[in-house]
Amino acid sequence: MSVAANFWNYNSGGLFGSTSNNSGSGLNSLYGVLSDRSAIKNGSYQRLLKTYYRSGQSSSTASSSKNSSSSSNMLDRIFEEKRNPKVSKDVQEANANLTSGLSTLRTTVSTLQKDDTYTDTADGKSAGDKVVSAVKAYVTDYNNVVNAAKGSTLTNKTAYVANMMGSTAANADKLAEIGITVDSSGTLELDETKLKSASISKVQELFSAKDITSYGSTIASRLRFAGAAVSSNTTTGSTGTDNKAGTSAAGLKTDSKALASDELYAKVKDKDGNETYDVNKIFTTAKSFVSNYNHMFDTGESSSNSGVLANLSYIREKTARNADALKQFGIEVNDQGRLKIDEHVFKQSDMSKVQAFFKDYGSSIATNASLVDYYTTTQANATNGYTSDGTYNVQGSSRYADTM
């Protein structure tokens, strides 16, 4: 079993609760977190419990009244616990340590991504000494976050810690080359002697900020998203911010599908009667794609909606993997993951190759953009929870199906 997979199976206080007795219990715990808050607020949770306990009571027996009273007391206790959950001191400490630890680790990763960490300074500090110090700090801070996450109930943060651990496991061989190994508990161990003998350039490449697919960039991305997730009961961020991200995501979805369609590349006749592509029309769509892409990230990265953040991360990574292909068409990806289009280069490109590229890349981006739109609108409304008859109100399911 992988390190990341092990992390999901810690007992009480873990990511989504213990899964040792019931394979679905972890998922059920998360499902409850997403719905209970609003259901309690609008009273439907209490109605659901009453419906459940009424259906379980036996009728016309001598013990019926006693059972009813017992069930009523149990209902009151459950409802009170849902309204005012008791959090142990250990869990409170783990939550506080995780929140502060994520901030500290983010600073540590930033140090490893700065160019001046890998250069000698006038005060006599060598690049080698600075790199060793930065890596040692990273290992310590990383372990603090992992250990705190194991006892935390902040699921919007611990989910990204688990993702971070998965990325670390996937890069275990590269980390081993600079003296960092991953143990069975998911924490890191450092061989300082091996680190000192490793090439400084190898450390810099591993944590490169210029390559958004590097290990360091991936960890930085997860930390940024985890830091934006304010609490375990929060599923949406600022309504205004999410609405803007949703609008741009919807536009990006439309542009992506258009750039992958046959209609956009239909031949037209030029002034000499020759059939050719309507390059201006295609460029206008590509320019809109770039604009909506950048605006979606500008507004969406401050969201606290984990669904939004996850899909933005997927889009960033897909774009990074296709950076060279995009550049051939005059679309460049900067260090912040934003796009810039060169009109001249784009219009000089072979439009048949542009279409072939966007049939794959564009269709994939459209799927995630649609999910960003979904999580900023429909999914936010879906947390209204249970209806008065005790059934769960799942809104927008047909809209979600359109992305599959």
Side-chain angles (χ1 to χ4, degrees):
M1 181 178 293
S2 68
V3 173
N6 281 332
F7 190 55
W8 294 92
N9 294 322
Y10 282 97
N11 291 325
S12 60
L15 288 175
F16 298 122
S18 172
T19 59
S20 58
N21 296 324
N22 185 337
S23 61
S25 64
L27 179 59
N28 290 337
S29 298
L30 176 59
Y31 186 77
V33 166
L34 296 177
S35 61
D36 285 355
R37 186 183 183 191
S38 57
I40 290 169
K41 186 176 181 181
N42 65 28
S44 55
Y45 188 91
Q46 189 172 27
R47 290 194 294 272
L48 175 70
L49 288 177
K50 286 181 178 178
T51 300
Y52 172 78
Y53 279 103
R54 279 200 303 270
S55 66
Q57 292 174 12
S58 59
S59 59
S60 64
T61 64
S63 61
S64 177
S65 176
K66 182 178 180 180
N67 288 341
S68 176
S69 175
S70 176
S71 295
S72 178
N73 291 336
M74 183 180 294
L75 170 61
D76 289 340
R77 289 197 301 272
I78 293 173
F79 186 60
E80 178 60 28
E81 172 60 21
K82 286 293 182 181
R83 287 193 302 179
N84 301 294
K86 295 178 178 63
V87 180
S88 69
K89 289 184 178 180
D90 287 343
V91 171
Q92 290 180 14
E93 183 178 358
N95 288 344
N97 289 341
L98 178 58
T99 300
S100 61
L102 287 168
S103 178
T104 302
L105 182 59
R106 188 173 176 181
T107 300
T108 305
V109 173
S110 177
T111 299
L112 282 165
Q113 291 194 301
K114 293 178 179 176
D115 290 338
D116 61 9
T117 300
Y118 302 90
T119 58
D120 296 333
T121 53
D123 60 4
K125 291 184 179 179
S126 70
D129 289 342
K130 286 162 51 175
V131 169
V132 169
S133 177
V135 171
K136 287 173 66 176
Y138 175 75
V139 169
T140 297
D141 295 340
Y142 180 99
N143 289 344
N144 288 340
V145 164
V146 170
N147 289 327
K150 292 174 184 177
S152 173
T153 57
L154 303 179
T155 54
N156 274 5
K157 296 182 184 294
T158 54
Y160 286 108
V161 175
N163 195 301
M164 179 182 75
M165 294 172 71
S167 297
T168 298
N171 285 274
D173 290 343
K174 292 181 180 180
L175 288 165
E177 292 177 2
I178 64 170
I180 299 176
T181 56
V182 187
D183 64 25
S184 59
S185 66
T187 53
L188 306 179
E189 294 181 0
L190 176 64
D191 182 336
E192 192 171 337
T193 300
K194 189 170 183 178
L195 172 62
K196 289 180 178 179
S197 64
S199 168
I200 291 177
S201 62
K202 186 169 291 187
V203 178
Q204 186 173 18
E205 181 181 356
L206 187 62
F207 285 90
S208 174
K210 296 179 180 178
D211 176 8
I212 64 175
T213 64
S214 73
Y215 170 70
S217 291
T218 302
I219 297 300
S221 173
R222 300 301 181 266
L223 290 170
R224 182 172 63 254
F225 293 161
V230 290
S231 74
S232 61
N233 285 333
T234 301
T235 57
T236 58
S238 165
T239 300
T241 297
D242 280 349
N243 285 344
K244 290 178 181 178
T247 300
S248 299
L252 180 62
K253 174 187 173 182
T254 300
D255 294 334
S256 298
K257 287 187 172 182
L259 286 165
S261 69
D262 292 331
E263 290 79 7
L264 185 62
Y265 302 89
K267 296 290 186 68
V268 296
K269 289 186 177 181
D270 61 18
K271 61 181 181 179
D272 298 321
N274 299 317
E275 288 192 342
T276 184
Y277 292 103
D278 189 341
V279 176
N280 288 329
K281 183 179 179 181
I282 299 172
F283 172 73
T284 298
T285 305
K287 185 177 180 181
S288 178
F289 172 92
V290 169
S291 177
N292 280 316
Y293 183 104
N294 291 340
H295 193 257
M296 179 185 68
F297 275 94
D298 290 341
T299 54
E301 283 187 335
S302 61
S303 173
S304 58
N305 185 313
S306 57
V308 171
L309 297 174
N311 281 282
L312 289 180
S313 179
Y314 296 147
I315 291 172
R316 277 177 62 95
E317 290 169 4
K318 289 175 181 178
T319 298
R321 289 197 298 270
N322 287 280
D324 290 340
L326 285 164
K327 190 174 183 180
Q328 292 178 4
F329 307 131
I331 302 174
E332 294 196 21
V333 186
N334 66 18
D335 292 347
Q336 288 71 47
R338 302 302 190 266
L339 305 181
K340 182 179 180 181
I341 188 168
D342 184 313
E343 181 175 359
H344 176 73
V345 174
F346 185 89
K347 288 184 175 181
Q348 293 299 313
S349 302
D350 183 337
M351 292 300 130
S352 65
K353 292 183 178 180
V354 173
Q355 181 184 17
F357 171 74
F358 275 97
K359 276 189 178 294
D360 182 17
Y361 169 76
S363 297
S364 181
I365 294 299
T367 297
N368 292 114
S370 182
L371 287 169
V372 171
D373 181 26
Y374 170 76
Y375 279 110
T376 58
T377 52
T378 307
Q379 181 62 14
N381 294 332
T383 58
N384 287 335
Y386 294 98
T387 61
S388 59
D389 64 355
T391 59
Y392 191 70
N393 181 23
V394 181
Q395 304 177 35
S397 57
S398 61
R399 182 179 184 182
Y400 176 76
D402 182 51
T403 69
M404 302 307 290

